[in-house]
Amino acid sequence: MKLLKDRIRKDGVIKEGNVLKVDSFLNHQMDVELFHEIGLEFKRRYEGEEINKILTIEASGIGIACVAAEVFKVPVVFAKKTQTKNIAGEVYTSKVESFTHGRVYDIRVAKQFLNKEDKVLIIDDFLANGKALEGLIELINESGATLVGAGIVIEKGFQVGGELIRSRGVRVESLAIVESMDEKTGEIVFRES
Amino acid sequence: MKLLKDRIRKDGVIKEGNVLKVDSFLNHQMDVELFHEIGLEFKRRYEGEEINKILTIEASGIGIACVAAEVFKVPVVFAKKTQTKNIAGEVYTSKVESFTHGRVYDIRVAKQFLNKEDKVLIIDDFLANGKALEGLIELINESGATLVGAGIVIEKGFQVGGELIRSRGVRVESLAIVESMDEKTGEIVFRES
């Protein structure tokens, strides 16, 4: 997706440890007009697929998922990371190891919001080692819902997540796949689509 | 907002301890078509006001804020609750006491995304004791930005937050104000608008 890649080149900042900061438009400040274009592109890629629900994970996936869901005309469910009084006891859970935060946490979705009639598209901002995506797929499998595929905004192609998940037969559509990035020169190389 | 009140009456569940569960359409599963109507209503109420940014707080505020931001044609910034490698050291912070989770946490916004040129509308799903809203207002004050007002989806009118914040001269527009609710009968009384 050229618009996205241009924006990453323009506003993305490469930091030590293979961190790509895109918090001026994607995951802290959020450019919702860009999100709408992202939603349209996910819709184009999954054209013809039956999708009745979008699943994402808090926090930064929620904005993209909601704006994209308007294009798909389906509801969003987001997996929660923290235990709360407001979720009933009946939940699907899985464990996710966070690259960003360096710890393991539980994610959960109330059972009433995922079931075997659902045809689910997962949407998230980043795919790196694939742990969050694996966790979401596990929730879908637990529920008996059908996983249609995943829509990822930025995939770090030099990390294992994308290959790992695709090798399991899951369709993953990433709008920008970073092959390499150089924190000294600021250069970002994207995989050819 | 009649559409919203009808939906709360239809799908809201009253739980012990003055908890109103609206997680089937507002803050776990999210009805983005309703969010769009909510965005239009916020826009109508703040018609004529100059607003160039929407501020919210993770997690459940993000979806509503992003869909509303499409109506306002402005970016969203969300205050983060957890420390992350991906935020630079230069942040505005304040403390929030959570009613739902029963603990105090820090919220933060990177300084580069809030500044004295900004005219900010705060959007959040709930207003109860007002702690989250107070925290967001503090971030705005720290930054020197102008607070235009707050747009709240559901206010618990029987808790102190709304009165407290309005008494400080802050404009608060709540789309549904719950005056009372009865967990035994399931009855919800809304304040007349």
Side-chain angles (χ1 to χ4, degrees), chain B residues 10-48:
Chain B
K10 180 172 160 278
D11 292 331
V13 179
I14 304 163
K15 296 278 183 180
E16 203 187 326
N18 276 328
V19 171
L20 175 60
K21 275 172 65 83
V22 286
D23 57 2
S24 66
F25 61 96
L26 195 69
N27 50 19
H28 186 17
Q29 182 166 255
M30 299 184 286
D31 179 345
V32 295
E33 289 177 44
L34 175 67
F35 288 11
H36 180 68
E37 295 299 323
I38 286 170
L40 290 171
E41 178 65 16
F42 284 140
K43 178 73 177 158
R44 197 185 64 75
R45 295 199 185 196
Y46 281 99
E47 200 59 68

Side-chain angles (χ1 to χ4, degrees), chain A residues 64-76:
Chain A
I64 301 155
C66 281
V67 173
E70 289 189 270
V71 177
F72 281 86
K73 299 184 192 304
V74 301
V76 173

Side-chain angles (χ1 to χ4, degrees), chain B residues 66-100:
Chain B
C66 281
V67 173
E70 290 189 87
V71 177
F72 283 86
K73 299 185 192 303
V74 301
V76 173
V77 173
F78 70 90
K80 302 201 175 195
K81 289 180 180 172
T82 46
Q83 193 86 49
T84 145
K85 281 193 227 170
N86 283 345
I87 275 202
E90 290 288 300
V91 294
Y92 301 114
T93 63
S94 63
K95 289 194 184 302
V96 172
E97 197 186 329
S98 168
F99 169 75
T100 316

